[in-house]
């Protein structure tokens, strides 16, 4: 089954403790992206990647890192999480460009205390 | 740079009534426009998109949207609401010459009443 898989679904952590949210897609998509969803703000793009070893900042990259060493994986790294990073995070992928539909994972709900 | 405005964070419609969700955008170049739907505890699914060509776009589940360049709008409609249409709807825009960046509106929560 074609899908985007994020792990974990839920994560509670403390300020400053490094964490990684994994994202993997099995559709051989070139493009992958991370978003955070907050009430009243919709989804805001954190980082995106157009191919292996090619990443770029979205609208809200501060406090986040990404890497794209393999086509299928696009982990989101929070080196020193803070409470304002408490949010619902989505990973998405698409075949080649944004003219193609995005496939979303089911989300990771992160709470930073 | 592009931006998206969705009018109304909550919309309540009666079952069988018209659904109209408004989206206005700003873009300095021809945009790609999308509507996505999010059901509870799920990721987003594409309803429909406009890239080029016909300005009236039909999507899944009976939804359609019309791209009006002069009004910079991409409103979503469905003639007759069904209970299963209760969800959150997001309009999104990408600029055709700088693909990679996708901007979402704040979302509209649709409630369908019997």
């Amino acid at each position: 089954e074609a899908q985007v898989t994020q792990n974990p679904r839920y994560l509670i952590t403390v300020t400053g403790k490094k964490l990684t949210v994994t994202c993997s897609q099995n559709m051989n998509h070139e493009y992958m992206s991370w978003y955070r969803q907050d009430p009243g703000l919709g989804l805001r793009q954190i980082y995106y990647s157009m191919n292996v070893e090619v990443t770029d900042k979205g609208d809200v990259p501060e406090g986040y890192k990404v890497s794209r060493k393999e086509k299928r994986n696009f982990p989101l790294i929070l080196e020193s999480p803070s409470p304002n990073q408490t949010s619902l995070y989505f990973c998405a992928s698409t075949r080649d460009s944004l003219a193609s539909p995005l496939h979303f994972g089911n989300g990771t709900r992160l709470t930073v205390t | 740079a592009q931006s998206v405005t969705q009018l109304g964070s909550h919309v309540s419609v009666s079952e069988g009534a018209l659904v109209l969700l408004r989206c206005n955008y700003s873009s300095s170049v021809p945009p790609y426009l999308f509507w996505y739907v999010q059901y509870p505890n799920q990721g987003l699914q594409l309803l429909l998109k406009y890239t080029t060509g016909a300005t009236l776009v039909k999507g899944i589940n009976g939804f359609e949207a019309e791209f009006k360049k002069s009004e910079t709008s991409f409103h979503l409609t469905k003639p007759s609401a069904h209970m299963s249409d209760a969800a959150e709807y997001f309009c999104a825009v990408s600029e055709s010459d700088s693909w990679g960046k996708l901007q979402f509106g704040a979302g509209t929560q649709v409630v369908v009443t019997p």
Side-chain angles (χ1 to χ4, degrees), chain B residues 15-28:
Chain B
E15 192 175 16
L18 171 72
V19 179
L20 170 61
L21 304 182
R22 300 179 187 274
C23 173
N24 288 89
Y25 69 92
S26 68
S27 175
S28 55

Side-chain angles (χ1 to χ4, degrees), chain B residues 87-110:
Chain B
E88 191 158 21
Y89 293 79
F90 294 93
C91 183
V93 62
S94 173
E95 293 189 332
S96 54
D97 71 340
S98 62
W99 74 271
K101 289 206 169 194
L102 181 64
Q103 191 123 35
F104 284 84
T108 299
Q109 185 72 46
V110 172

Side-chain angles (χ1 to χ4, degrees), chain B residues 41-102:
Chain B
N41 300 313
Q42 294 185 26
L44 281 70
Q45 303 171 31
L46 180 70
L47 272 179
L48 49 78
K49 64 175 181 177
Y50 169 81
T51 53
T52 59
T55 56
L56 182 62
V57 180
K58 294 188 186 298
I60 61 172
N61 301 338
F63 284 93
E64 64 181 35
E66 186 171 12
F67 169 56
K68 291 188 176 181
K69 185 178 178 180
S70 61
E71 298 178 8
T72 60
S73 69
F74 191 56
H75 301 332
L76 181 71
T77 60
K78 181 174 180 177
S80 177
H82 191 272
M83 297 299 288
S84 61
D85 295 327
E88 191 158 21
Y89 293 79
F90 294 93
C91 183
V93 62
S94 173
E95 293 189 332
S96 54
D97 71 340
S98 62
W99 74 271
K101 289 206 169 194
L102 181 64

Side-chain angles (χ1 to χ4, degrees), chain A residues 9 31 35 37 40-43 45 48 50 57-59 90 96-102 104-106, chain B residues 32 34 36 38 41-46 49 51 88 90 94 98-107:
Chain A
R9 287 294 306 274
Y31 176 94
Y35 300 86
Q37 183 178 14
L41 296 177
L43 280 80
Q45 192 174 35
Y48 62 95
M50 295 197 225
K57 296 177 181 178
D59 292 322
F90 287 100
D96 47 20
S97 79
L98 286 173
S100 305
L102 278 169
F104 281 82
N106 283 331
Chain B
Y32 293 155
F34 308 84
Y36 282 85
Q38 184 180 32
N41 300 313
Q42 294 185 26
L44 281 70
Q45 303 171 31
L46 180 70
K49 64 175 181 177
T51 53
E88 191 158 21
F90 294 93
S94 173
S98 62
W99 74 271
K101 289 206 169 194
L102 181 64
Q103 191 123 35
F104 284 84

